[in-house]
Structures are given as C-alpha cells and as structure tokens.
Amino acid sequence: MSGTRRKVCEMTDEQEDEQFYRDTESAAFPKLDDHQLSLLEPLGERRAVNRGDVIYKAGQRDLG
C-alpha cells in the first residue's frame, strides 16, 4: 500500500439533509416534457405561476 491516507469525512445532519435533497430532487420535483404535458392538458388548464404563488396548501381539502 502506498503512503497515501484516506480521510474519512463525517457529514453533519445539515449536510446529510442537503445531500438527501439533491439525491431525491428529480423524483420530488419532476420536469415534464412537452409530450407528458400534452397528456395532462385535457385534465385542466395550463397557467403560469410566479415564485411564491400558493397553488394549494398542505392538508387543504377544498380543492376544485
């Protein structure tokens, strides 16, 4: 074995949370392509939203 050493890095809880977010972001927030969106269009209407707009709140039951 050569004289190099491997440094063992332990992640903090915050770093582990950030890593988990990065690892699961694409599953939690999928990017739909044009074909996928076209399949959904008969079920509703497309509309633009801005950052901070509330679409629905967690636990909200009075959705149309």
Side-chain angles (χ1 to χ4, degrees), residues 17-34:
D17 289 346
E18 180 63 28
Q19 184 65 50
F20 178 79
Y21 175 80
R22 282 194 305 271
D23 291 346
T24 59
E25 182 178 18
S26 65
F29 305 104
K31 304 283 189 222
L32 303 180
D33 62 30
D34 288 336

Side-chain angles (χ1 to χ4, degrees), residues 31-42:
K31 304 283 189 222
L32 303 180
D33 62 30
D34 288 336
H35 175 71
Q36 292 168 315
L37 289 171
S38 73
L39 296 173
L40 293 172
E41 282 193 273

Side-chain angles (χ1 to χ4, degrees), residues 38-57:
S38 73
L39 296 173
L40 293 172
E41 282 193 273
L43 304 174
E45 65 182 61
R46 195 182 288 208
R47 63 182 173 146
V49 294
N50 297 308
R51 183 180 296 272
D53 287 353
V54 176
I55 310 301
Y56 62 90
K57 295 179 182 180

